Amino acid sequence: MKYRKLNLATLPDELFTKQTDVKEWMALTTTSAEGGFPPSSLNKVLPVKRDIEIERIIGTSYYMIGNTVPFAVPLLLAASYFSAVGALIFKVYMVYFTTLFVVFTYYFYPKYMKRYNRPKSMSKTDIKDNQYLYTERHTQKYLSMQFVWPESIQRPALNDQPVIFAAIPHGLSPLGITAYPMWSKLFNDKLCHWTCAPVVLKLPLISSFMKAIGYIPAKAKNITDTLIKKEENVGIILDGIAGMFQAHDEVAHVKRRKGIIKIALRAGAAVVPVYGFGHTSLVSCVSIKSEGILLFVVTYCTFPSNHSGKSSLIPLDSWNG
């Protein structure tokens, strides 16, 4: 079998728009010989401009800590009343978060929205256009991201039916799936909605952003309605929380995820397995075992620079119910 490859990191910025015809993207793909691409050919890190590297270090850190704010602030605030150490940790946390918020909101956001000629606010109706975010564009460059897929799912194979993109592994932060426009254009013209834990769509700030780019709760009803009633694509990371904290060995937690196949059968949707190479190495997790307790220490400071970061997503052959 032959494979196609699209290097997202080198995709011209002027082609990263909703208006771009998918044929222009396809013209930039390369095709492998029978059996796939040569060993190590998908493992190359490309240089990235310094300003984009700095933006991603700050922007990704801001996003990650932003997810913790609703939970961490009340706990740390309570701890600050009982101990001086708790008060110190709370102050450091708030200074860190506030600094990232100010730099991202008042410097990076207006700068790059203007550079990429994007509207100042997200559309309330055009989710596809919202998916062309400068942050996700920078992530593609920062991680030297590539998409590789078999000829068997090359257009027009999946044109006439909704698709479930079933991805693994999650890793602490599955940045590879954030190439949102690719899932909504490469394989068919149907908008792709990625799923997340329902609680995430109730968090302040982050929830409005995620809804604007198409996220839906990871519940059977929401997924089924999207596939059947809207006839649109769905993306789901199968291993979820189980795949987030992997300290050493990379394990695919999929044997108990059979429910997605039932949904696909009911909806008449194709299932495309996706493997995200690099997801588990984007952020370092250190596990410490002590007296039967497993503690995961997440080191946010180790996001890869352009010298070490790379990510390849491999959509495999489709299974059609």
Side-chain angles (χ1 to χ4, degrees):
M1 181 182 295
K2 293 184 178 180
Y3 293 81
R4 292 283 188 103
K5 177 181 69 175
L6 177 62
N7 193 322
L8 307 189
T10 59
L11 182 74
D13 288 337
E14 60 269 21
L15 297 184
F16 189 71
T17 66
K18 176 189 170 185
Q19 292 73 30
T20 300
D21 193 306
V22 70
K23 292 180 181 178
E24 295 188 68
W25 288 2
M26 291 301 174
L28 299 175
T29 62
T30 55
T31 304
S32 74
E34 286 291 338
F37 291 95
S40 300
S41 63
L42 303 177
N43 199 28
K44 297 178 180 178
V45 178
L46 301 176
V48 62
K49 293 181 179 179
R50 180 63 64 180
D51 64 323
I52 292 177
E53 181 177 14
I54 295 172
E55 187 281 326
R56 278 297 75 205
I57 291 172
I58 293 176
T60 305
S61 299
Y62 170 59
Y63 171 79
M64 294 293 289
I65 197 172
N67 282 300
T68 72
V69 168
F71 310 102
V73 169
L75 292 174
L76 292 175
L77 187 59
S80 68
Y81 283 105
F82 295 100
S83 73
V85 174
L88 177 61
I89 294 174
F90 177 66
K91 289 178 182 178
V92 171
Y93 179 91
M94 291 307 300
V95 168
Y96 179 63
F97 171 74
T98 303
T99 302
L100 292 176
F101 171 79
V102 170
V103 174
F104 180 84
T105 305
Y106 297 104
Y107 177 69
F108 285 126
Y109 187 80
K111 174 183 178 179
Y112 289 109
M113 293 296 278
K114 182 178 181 180
R115 176 182 294 185
Y116 288 96
N117 196 29
R118 297 292 302 165
K120 293 183 179 180
S121 59
M122 289 191 174
S123 170
K124 294 182 179 180
T125 57
D126 194 346
I127 295 177
K128 269 193 176 182
D129 188 63
N130 290 343
Q131 292 183 338
Y132 289 84
L133 300 164
Y134 82 83
T135 50
E136 290 12 272
R137 180 72 189 114
H138 286 180
T139 294
Q140 295 162 25
K141 297 178 180 181
Y142 186 63
L143 299 180
S144 298
M145 194 181 299
Q146 302 178 81
F147 265 43
V148 179
W149 64 94
E151 287 280 3
S152 57
I153 61 171
Q154 175 68 17
R155 280 175 174 254
L158 303 173
N159 276 4
D160 300 324
Q161 63 185 135
V163 177
I164 298 174
F165 296 104
I168 56 168
H170 188 291
L172 187 72
S173 181
L175 295 179
I177 69 160
T178 62
Y180 300 115
M182 306 303 154
W183 310 105
S184 297
K185 181 180 283 190
L186 266 183
F187 306 104
N188 59 31
D189 292 321
K190 302 179 186 295
L191 173 66
C192 183
H193 299 264
W194 281 87
T195 62
C196 64
V199 67
V200 175
L201 296 180
K202 296 179 181 179
L203 298 178
L205 301 177
I206 195 67
S207 59
S208 58
F209 162 75
M210 296 188 74
K211 290 176 183 177
I213 57 178
Y215 271 87
I216 60 174
K219 291 186 174 181
K221 184 181 186 305
N222 298 88
I223 295 172
T224 302
D225 287 349
T226 299
L227 294 169
I228 296 178
K229 295 181 179 180
K230 295 183 178 181
E231 296 184 346
E232 294 176 337
N233 300 334
V234 170
I236 182 169
I237 302 181
L238 282 182
D239 52 2
I241 294 176
M244 289 179 66
F245 301 104
Q246 300 194 50
H248 301 292
D249 297 329
E250 191 164 289
V251 180
H253 300 270
V254 297
K255 288 186 177 180
R256 296 183 181 180
R257 305 299 194 268
K258 299 175 183 177
I260 197 65
I261 301 301
K262 294 179 182 178
I263 292 174
L265 287 169
R266 285 196 292 264
V271 178
V272 175
V274 180
Y275 201 95
F277 290 93
H279 271 180
T280 58
S281 59
L282 293 178
V283 182
S284 297
C285 293
V286 181
S287 63
I288 304 172
K289 289 186 178 181
S290 176
E291 298 180 357
I293 299 175
L294 179 62
L295 171 66
F296 284 100
V297 181
V298 180
T299 52
Y300 288 102
C301 60
T302 57
F303 284 103
S305 71
N306 59 308
H307 301 296
S308 60
K310 53 187 175 296
S311 179
S312 296
L313 285 101
I314 314 293
L316 307 175
D317 206 351
S318 65
W319 175 86
N320 200 322

